């Protein structure tokens, strides 16, 4: 089971999602083709997971901006320090995308 901030998913749910997205390997499908298909799907999943993580961080940062970390932790059933961690990660990500380097 994978758990993120107390919320989890069962292996059967993951298997069902993967099955629906990539299907089964056909008997005549060559190893190289199957490897490329799996690699492309893995890259897609990784990019999607990173985007979902950013959305979660941004949401918590917005909540913390209009409340206290403690109140947000209670509302989301998180440890008391977790909202601050997510909000800081959101700020770092936002700063990294807006500060692309020195200007001339």
């Amino acid at each position: 089971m994978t758990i993120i901030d107390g919320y989890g998913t069962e292996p059967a749910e993951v298997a069902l999602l993967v099955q629906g997205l990539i299907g089964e390997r056909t008997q005549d499908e060559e190893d190289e083709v199957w490897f490329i298909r799996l690699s492309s799907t893995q890259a897609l999943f990784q990019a999607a997971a990173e985007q979902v993580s950013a959305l979660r961080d941004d949401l918590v940062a917005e909540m913390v901006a209009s409340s206290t970390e403690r109140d947000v932790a209670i509302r989301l059933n998180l440890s008391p320090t977790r909202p601050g961690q997510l909000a800081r990660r959101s700020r770092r990500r936002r700063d990294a995308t807006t500060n692309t380097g020195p200007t001339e």
Side-chain angles (χ1 to χ4, degrees):
M1 175 184 287
T2 301
I3 299 175
I4 298 176
D5 290 324
Y7 300 93
T9 183
E10 294 292 330
E13 292 175 297
V14 175
L16 186 61
L17 175 65
V18 171
Q19 177 66 31
L21 289 171
I22 64 170
E24 298 271 338
R25 181 179 181 181
T26 60
Q27 294 229 350
D28 61 339
E29 195 164 25
E30 297 197 19
D31 293 342
E32 295 82 1
V33 172
W34 183 240
F35 180 81
I36 291 168
R37 192 164 151 201
L38 292 174
S39 297
S40 296
T41 303
Q42 183 177 2
L44 177 63
F45 282 165
Q46 183 64 40
E50 290 171 7
Q51 187 169 357
V52 169
S53 178
L55 291 170
R56 288 178 71 242
D57 295 350
D58 292 347
L59 173 64
V60 172
E62 289 174 17
M63 293 174 73
V64 167
S66 64
S67 186
T68 66
E69 289 181 19
R70 186 182 190 307
D71 288 340
V72 173
I74 291 168
R75 287 178 58 196
L76 298 179
N77 194 30
L78 299 173
S79 69
T81 59
R82 189 67 172 143
Q85 292 170 343
L86 297 174
R88 285 188 296 280
R89 194 165 68 184
S90 173
R91 281 192 298 276
R92 280 194 305 271
R93 185 181 295 111
R94 188 175 49 247
D95 290 348
T97 59
T98 57
N99 298 328
T100 56
T103 58
E104 297 182 35

